[in-house]
Amino acid sequence: MRQSMLTTDQSLLLNDEKEVLSNVLLRLAEMDVPRDSLATLQKATQQLDELFLIVVVGEFNAGKSALINAMLGEKVLAEGVTPTTSRVTLIKWGEAKTETVVDEGYAIVTYPLPLLKEVNIVDSPGTNAIIRQHERLTDEFVPRSDLVLFTTSADRPLTESEHQFLQRILAWGKKVVFVLNKSDIFEDEAALQEAREYVLKHATLTLGEPPILFPVSARLAQRARAEQDEANRQQLRAASRLDELERYISGTLDDTARLKLKFSNPLGVAENLIDGAGTAVRTQTEELQEDKVTVDSLETTVTAYEHDLEIELAPRLAEVDNILHKLEMRGLDFFDRTLRLTNIHHLVRGDRIRMNFEKEVLNDVSQQINEQVQNIIDWLVEKDLREWQQVMTYLQRRQAHNLEHIVGGAGSPQAVHRRELIDKVGKSVNTIVESYDRVKEASQLAVNVENAVAQTALFEAGAVGLGVLVSTALLSSALDITGVIAAGTLAIVGLFVIPYKRKQAKDDFRKKIITLRENLHEALTTAFKSESANAISRLRDNISPYTRFVHAEDERIQKAKTLLADLRKNLSALRARIETTVD
Ligand SMILES: Nc1nc2c(ncn2[C@@H]2O[C@H](COP(=O)(O)OP(=O)(O)OP(=O)(O)O)[C@@H](O)[C@H]2O)c(=O)[nH]1
Ligand SMILES: [Mg+2]
């Protein structure tokens, strides 16, 4: 037989195709394509390695194994007069000669013959031998075969068991070629002709048309291989008539249409799977659509919330500034009114001035500040609760949509997972909303803000300490004034000392207020910003298992789409190559 049935280009194409297909297999495996679909593709790909499959059948002792040995030119299989081949045996290419008994009825033999890279041959036990093994032959190998060599022995042509077997395999519509082996046993051509006629006649009855029949002698062909003398060798070879059979086999296997079909078959399987995966991906896209909308809404509302907190906090904190600003105004006014010469009699009464200062200036500033801070806290708590409610509404809407659409089946594993996630996230959000305790949240916040404020240097110069500091300053200036009165004249006191003291007291007071305002502003800003940030991250933490999953799914689906498109492109490129390479 020829060493190779493929041209170089066809061999290259075959290699490339195998590579592309194994890549398709790998990629599809990553995409959760059902295992049995992958197995189908794997099998179809493997069949490229068994590009041509010849199945040899016939009764025991017909010389099936001998015929295969003759065609391979090597004694690969055992021959014998008693039933010899006991298992269906696949002979394929391998680096070394090996025999693997797969099970009782099936064995694989490998042999390093180049021809076996393209042609796999199945040898079989006699048709009259163990029936169980025929099932494998008729159901597994015959359907996959390109050619069935129906071998019958010239000394008992077409036996009853062969005939029955022939009927069984006809259903597959396979090409069956008859080999009348052991043609060397006949003394003359007439006897051979008689045997031929017999086979033709009976086979025609079964097939409905005359079969193709090759009388050969496997034995003579084997002898020819072993013969050293060229003339003898050629004579034996001619007498074996094996060339005619081999030419026929090559011609059949070389058939362009059939070869194209062989090359295309696994591509069709791969395309089919890719289409399936594409449909799955499209379904997943649809399933994800509603979630993307929900996630977008969730993200938009949380971002808007974050933004609101940022811009609404400033005017609220400005209210606190305002309280201090009014305090400053009152203070300055107080000094203007109090620290004057006409008031000199009162000035010596430091405790009275301090009382007046507390009453007129300090007033209930601490309480006002407290109230405003409390207002901010209430605002924050209320906003937070409303945000949680909003998030819950979105999740509930999504769940309701799920319930409506669940009728058509549970959907992909991803869809199921996603639904469980929404359920989980929804429940946790629900629990938070339902157990939201405004009072508790507010008092917790108040503690946090107080702590933050207390941690600043403010406490010393703060509202609490303010009265003390201011009155100390006042007292000292008042005492000084008493001293001055004792020592100097009223004119000097009135013209220079009192305005000077007034200015000093005002400056001092203003400085303290500014420090107080800055410190308080910063402490409150920091405290509220950190509380806002906490609120935001608590929200985000709660919904993130869901949003993260939806984002990841979206990304995965996009990638899968690109990948499938690429694979499809590779397959059609191969198809185009098959058209040009096999013709
Ligand atoms: N005279 C002659 N004998 C042959 C020829 N081919 C095979 N034989 C002999 O026939 C016997 C059976 O050959 P096998 O090849 O073992 O037959 P088989 O069909 O494989 O038989 P099982 O494996 O038992 O089914 C052996 O002794 C072979 O030497 C041939 O062309 N002419
Ligand atoms: Mg045999």
Side-chain angles (χ1 to χ4, degrees):
M1 251 207 230
R2 273 169 35 188
Q3 286 295 290
S4 172
M5 320 209 76
L6 298 179
T7 65
T8 316
D9 281 353
Q10 288 169 349
S11 296
L12 286 175
L13 172 64
L14 182 64
N15 275 340
D16 290 351
E17 181 172 343
K18 280 194 250 175
E19 211 174 291
V20 168
L21 287 171
S22 73
N23 187 41
V24 170
L25 200 62
L26 202 77
R27 298 292 164 197
L28 291 183
E30 290 165 359
M31 291 177 59
D32 297 331
V33 167
R35 221 179 257 183
D36 45 342
S37 305
L38 293 177
T40 311
L41 177 59
Q42 198 165 20
K43 229 178 183 164
T45 308
Q46 275 165 2
Q47 277 175 22
L48 279 176
D49 281 329
E50 316 160 358
L51 203 48
F52 305 108
L53 184 67
I54 298 175
V55 173
V56 184
V57 299
E59 197 168 271
F60 102 88
N61 209 31
K64 301 179 291 294
S65 304
L67 178 68
I68 295 169
N69 286 340
M71 289 193 296
L72 293 175
E74 302 264 347
K75 197 121 184 157
V76 177
L77 305 164
E79 303 170 20
V81 283
T82 54
T84 308
T85 306
S86 59
R87 298 180 178 87
V88 174
T89 306
L90 175 71
I91 305 128
K92 62 182 201 176
W93 188 87
E95 275 174 9
K97 180 180 186 319
T98 63
E99 178 170 8
T100 312
V101 176
V102 179
D103 56 46
E104 200 190 349
Y106 181 46
I108 299 171
V109 167
T110 63
Y111 210 79
L113 274 176
L115 181 67
L116 287 176
K117 285 192 172 176
E118 290 165 22
V119 188
N120 286 347
I121 304 174
V122 170
D123 190 12
S124 57
T127 47
N128 54 336
I130 318 148
I131 298 298
R132 254 177 303 137
Q133 289 152 26
H134 290 157
E135 309 250 304
R136 181 165 246 148
L137 200 57
T138 50
D139 298 346
E140 197 177 320
F141 290 102
V142 171
R144 275 167 52 196
S145 70
D146 298 288
L147 193 64
V148 177
L149 286 189
F150 206 103
T151 310
T152 188
S153 176
D155 54 2
R156 45 180 168 82
L158 213 52
T159 64
E160 179 52 30
S161 78
E162 286 175 341
H163 197 256
Q164 281 172 12
F165 193 82
L166 177 63
Q167 282 171 324
R168 282 187 67 184
I169 64 173
L170 278 182
W172 292 106
K174 288 291 166 181
K175 193 155 206 115
V176 180
V177 165
F178 286 78
V179 177
L180 182 62
N181 189 33
K182 303 196 188 179
S183 58
D184 55 281
I185 60 167
F186 296 111
E187 297 284 324
D188 53 34
E189 192 67 20
L192 173 63
Q193 205 51 39
E194 201 179 311
R196 258 190 85 175
E197 292 299 331
Y198 181 83
V199 175
L200 281 175
K201 187 179 142 207
H202 285 89
T204 307
L205 280 177
T206 312
L207 298 175
E209 59 180 12
I212 297 166
L213 173 66
F214 292 96
V216 301
S217 166
R219 173 169 288 176
L220 294 183
Q222 286 188 20
R223 280 200 192 140
R225 292 261 184 194
E227 179 61 50
Q228 301 295 320
D229 180 79
E230 181 60 21
N232 283 348
R233 200 183 63 78
Q234 280 187 17
Q235 201 187 350
L236 282 168
R237 181 73 192 176
S240 81
R241 305 195 198 204
L242 202 67
D243 283 345
E244 285 135 73
L245 174 64
E246 285 188 356
R247 257 199 305 278
Y248 176 82
I249 293 174
S250 297
T252 307
L253 300 187
D254 253 353
D255 177 66
T256 306
R258 205 193 42 76
L259 196 57
K260 271 187 188 165
L261 207 68
K262 273 275 177 191
F263 273 112
S264 312
N265 176 46
L267 296 188
V269 176
E271 280 159 349
N272 202 13
L273 290 196
I274 289 176
D275 285 351
T279 310
V281 165
R282 266 195 302 285
T283 312
Q284 287 165 15
T285 312
E286 281 162 25
E287 288 170 344
L288 194 66
Q289 197 43 42
E290 204 53 37
D291 290 287
K292 280 171 72 182
V293 171
T294 308
V295 162
D296 277 353
S297 307
L298 288 174
E299 270 162 9
T300 309
T301 177
V302 174
T303 310
Y305 175 42
E306 197 173 16
H307 183 246
D308 281 2
L309 288 184
E310 210 175 297
I311 58 164
E312 287 174 22
L313 180 62
R316 285 180 164 76
L317 287 176
E319 287 291 303
V320 178
D321 281 358
N322 210 21
I323 295 170
L324 290 177
H325 181 68
K326 282 183 186 151
L327 170 70
E328 185 186 344
M329 293 298 118
R330 281 202 304 276
L332 296 179
D333 181 56
F334 179 83
F335 290 126
D336 279 342
R337 277 189 290 110
T338 316
L339 293 182
R340 31 190 358 126
L341 191 60
T342 49
N343 208 20
I344 191 111
H345 306 296
H346 288 128
L347 285 182
V348 290
R349 300 280 315 268
D351 52 342
R352 249 195 78 201
I353 292 185
R354 199 174 68 191
M355 234 174 63
N356 285 346
F357 181 81
E358 278 173 8
K359 209 175 105 206
E360 291 170 29
V361 180
L362 292 184
N363 210 327
D364 56 350
V365 128
S366 315
Q367 208 193 323
Q368 281 180 34
I369 292 177
N370 264 344
E371 269 168 21
Q372 182 53 25
V373 168
Q374 197 54 51
N375 280 344
I376 303 179
I377 287 174
D378 289 345
W379 158 77
L380 196 61
V381 168
E382 197 56 38
K383 240 181 134 49
D384 191 44
L385 174 57
R386 249 182 287 135
E387 186 60 20
W388 281 98
Q389 284 166 339
Q390 181 63 59
V391 165
M392 191 177 70
T393 310
Y394 284 132
L395 290 172
Q396 278 172 343
R397 207 177 291 163
R398 178 69 191 98
Q399 272 162 318
H401 187 273
N402 262 343
L403 287 178
E404 276 167 34
H405 289 78
I406 209 157
V407 199
S412 63
Q414 288 85 355
V416 174
H417 183 196
R418 202 166 50 246
R419 212 162 26 243
E420 285 167 1
L421 263 181
I422 305 169
D423 218 46
K424 215 169 118 204
V425 168
K427 274 190 187 127
S428 79
V429 170
N430 208 8
T431 312
I432 290 177
V433 171
E434 270 175 5
S435 61
Y436 205 101
D437 182 343
R438 283 188 181 78
V439 180
K440 210 180 110 207
E441 293 290 328
S443 61
Q444 183 56 49
L445 245 164
V447 170
N448 292 352
V449 171
E450 247 166 50
N451 283 344
V453 172
Q455 272 160 27
T456 66
L458 174 82
F459 216 53
E460 297 146 40
V464 192
L466 193 71
V468 182
L469 280 169
V470 168
S471 45
T472 320
L474 264 179
L475 272 177
S476 61
S477 48
L479 280 175
D480 270 1
I481 288 164
T482 342
V484 169
I485 296 167
T489 68
L490 273 182
I492 290 169
V493 173
L495 278 174
F496 302 107
V497 179
I498 289 183
Y500 174 71
K501 285 284 167 189
R502 188 167 63 219
K503 186 179 180 305
Q504 213 178 26
K506 280 166 76 180
D507 285 351
D508 204 30
F509 179 70
R510 192 184 277 128
K511 229 188 284 166
K512 283 201 173 86
I513 293 281
I514 288 173
T515 313
L516 170 65
R517 203 163 59 204
E518 279 171 358
N519 286 350
L520 189 61
H521 189 90
E522 193 183 319
L524 288 176
T525 308
T526 312
F528 277 114
K529 284 221 159 127
S530 118
E531 288 308 315
S532 304
N534 282 348
I536 299 281
S537 53
R538 192 157 74 121
L539 262 169
R540 289 225 159 100
D541 285 352
N542 266 278
I543 57 177
S544 71
Y546 172 52
T547 52
R548 261 205 317 266
F549 182 78
V550 171
H551 285 309
E553 267 296 281
D554 194 31
E555 211 170 288
R556 184 187 65 79
I557 287 174
Q558 292 314 324
K559 270 196 196 146
K561 279 184 182 160
T562 319
L563 179 68
L564 289 177
D566 282 352
L567 294 180
R568 224 176 254 128
K569 227 192 296 169
N570 289 347
L571 291 177
S572 24
L574 274 175
R575 272 203 189 283
R577 250 177 89 189
I578 292 174
E579 283 307 315
T580 54
T581 314
V582 185
D583 57 11

